[in-house]
Amino acid sequence: MLQRPRRNRRTETIRNLVEETHLSTAHLIYPLFLVDGYNIKDEVLSLPGNYRFSKDQVLIEIKNCIELGIRNFILFPAVKEHLKDPIATYSYSGDNFYLDIAKRIKELFPEVCLISDVAMDPYNSDGHDGLVRNGKIVNDETLPILAKMAVAQAKAGFDYIGPSDMMDGRVKTIRMALDEAGFYETGILSYTAKYASAFYGPFRDALDSAPKSGDKKTYQMNPANKREALIEAQLDESEGADMLMVKPALHYLDVIQSIKQTTNLPVACYHVSGECAMLIAACRNGWLDYKKAMPETLLSMRRAGADVIITYFAKDFAQIFAR
Ligand code: PBG
């Protein structure tokens, strides 16, 4: 035998020497769910180990995460039902608790990178990401609402705006609105290829944001399609996105790889709630070893080409691998 690949696997030192893909806490974004109120740390039943935090509690959580080396956070609001309406007014109102918490986080911890979520669903009495008219999710009338939401978030101090709604033309509308309001330094992390996936269940439980009727298939993508993701990538890039995201991640590694090959922008992926929940469930049953299966899962996304990973495992990863 002239070729013996096992030579390069012989010792740990050699294996480290030829390791192709690296994963560190610096690549991870930790999602946090927020609620209005005081002294609330309420576990999400379908996503064990994750909580809805009130302002005082999330400040403690972020401080702990910073000590573990986590610097990036994406925030989502769980909004009380009586504040929801068909035009998502509360999303940009002056007394919005989500914006208030973001502002406080940036005051206390200016070194962190904060990412927002732009979509109507947490604020919409219809539970859809866009405006509903006669049972249809209308595109162009949704855009000014998203723009107002984005400007309010930029004002609160978010570093990146995260449009997750999949309306056509939203990146351009948001970019123009941000620039017009003077927020030319605020970035856009676009949910470029977001699929109509069955793996968002625990997230919708956390925010109580499931659609009141119908599904999201007229705006989120068909899981069968990959070329369509490349059209979305091209559009988002030309409309001014700073990073492109694929969501979900684990079931769409091929899409991550394809987008990575067509763009020079950083590529992010969202390891979504259902993908994390299924691993947690198997590990809690003793069927898989969490400390080994979890990092292997995250590594697969890096190997596929993701520069950045949004994952509910960020804190556990940092805890296990903090040196
Ligand atoms: C809202 C939004 C969703 C997620 C992130 N932003 C849910 C949805 O589109 O229904 C899902 C994230 C997760 O499952 O972890 N537009």
Side-chain angles (χ1 to χ4, degrees):
M1 276 185 264
L2 290 178
Q3 291 279 347
R4 282 186 182 270
R6 286 186 58 190
R7 283 187 204 116
N8 288 343
R9 299 175 203 145
R10 201 165 49 83
T11 68
E12 190 175 357
T13 302
I14 294 171
R15 287 193 295 275
N16 288 340
L17 179 69
V18 298
E19 190 164 272
E20 297 174 34
T21 311
H22 300 102
L23 174 66
S24 89
T25 306
H27 304 128
L28 305 182
I29 301 175
Y30 192 34
L32 295 169
F33 303 120
L34 307 178
V35 282
D36 198 8
Y38 182 72
N39 200 22
I40 301 168
K41 186 177 172 185
D42 182 17
E43 192 167 31
V44 181
L45 294 180
S46 49
L47 197 58
N50 290 268
Y51 303 83
R52 296 179 204 88
F53 296 99
S54 57
K55 184 176 176 178
D56 55 312
Q57 294 296 314
V58 84
L59 293 173
I60 298 170
E61 179 70 6
I62 288 189
K63 189 166 180 286
N64 292 339
C65 287
I66 290 174
E67 276 161 21
L68 291 169
I70 300 172
R71 292 288 179 277
N72 310 293
F73 302 90
I74 185 163
L75 309 180
F76 298 96
V79 177
K80 293 195 178 92
E81 205 58 37
H82 74 274
L83 294 170
K84 300 184 184 182
D85 67 19
I87 55 169
T89 312
Y90 184 67
S91 66
Y92 48 85
S93 89
D95 58 358
N96 180 307
F97 77 94
Y98 173 75
L99 302 174
D100 174 57
I101 293 177
K103 208 167 138 195
R104 191 68 187 136
I105 293 171
K106 287 298 283 190
E107 276 166 14
L108 291 179
F109 312 107
E111 72 272 34
V112 306
C113 173
L114 275 195
I115 299 141
S116 76
D117 184 63
V118 171
M120 287 176 66
D121 57 335
Y123 310 96
N124 186 346
S125 42
D126 295 300
H128 276 288
D129 295 28
L131 187 67
V132 182
R133 279 260 164 81
N134 304 322
K136 280 196 173 154
I137 291 81
V138 291
N139 193 89
D140 297 13
E141 288 145 290
T142 299
L143 300 181
I145 299 172
L146 301 177
K148 272 195 228 173
M149 209 184 291
V151 170
Q153 292 170 351
K155 212 174 279 179
F158 279 98
D159 297 279
Y160 285 87
I161 303 301
S164 67
D165 51 279
M166 289 304 280
M167 297 299 123
D168 293 335
R170 82 250 204 243
V171 172
K172 185 178 175 197
T173 303
I174 290 170
R175 184 69 268 157
M176 284 168 60
L178 290 174
D179 286 359
E180 212 164 287
F183 296 110
Y184 53 87
E185 286 194 323
T186 307
I188 298 178
L189 167 51
S190 179
Y191 289 59
T192 294
K194 177 173 178 178
Y195 288 88
S197 168
F199 289 89
Y200 305 149
F203 177 97
R204 292 178 189 172
D205 291 344
L207 300 193
D208 195 16
S209 66
K212 298 280 156 50
S213 67
D215 53 40
K216 298 191 172 186
K217 289 181 186 172
T218 68
Y219 45 107
Q220 297 180 351
M221 286 176 51
N222 179 348
N225 292 1
K226 182 154 76 172
R227 278 182 289 136
E228 193 180 338
L230 302 181
I231 298 176
E232 289 284 3
Q234 196 184 15
L235 283 171
D236 283 0
E237 190 162 349
S238 70
E239 291 179 27
D242 299 283
M243 292 192 216
L244 306 181
M245 197 205 296
V246 175
K247 174 184 172 182
L250 192 53
H251 294 79
Y252 296 83
L253 295 174
D254 58 325
V255 180
I256 297 173
Q257 185 169 36
S258 293
I259 289 191
K260 179 69 170 215
Q261 285 162 354
T262 63
T263 184
N264 290 318
L265 289 175
V267 173
C269 67
Y270 199 141
H271 184 209
V272 300
S273 57
E275 294 179 320
C276 292
M278 63 186 194
L279 188 68
I280 296 170
C283 295
R284 291 204 168 189
N285 261 307
W287 297 338
L288 291 174
D289 179 343
Y290 185 66
K291 286 190 177 159
K292 291 181 180 158
M294 182 268 281
E296 182 178 332
T297 300
L298 299 181
L299 192 65
S300 74
M301 298 163 199
R302 292 277 297 158
R303 198 183 59 240
D307 300 289
V308 171
I309 303 171
I310 302 179
T311 178
Y312 300 91
F313 294 156
K315 191 177 176 191
D316 285 348
F317 180 85
Q319 230 148 13
I320 295 169
F321 294 94
R323 290 254 167 87

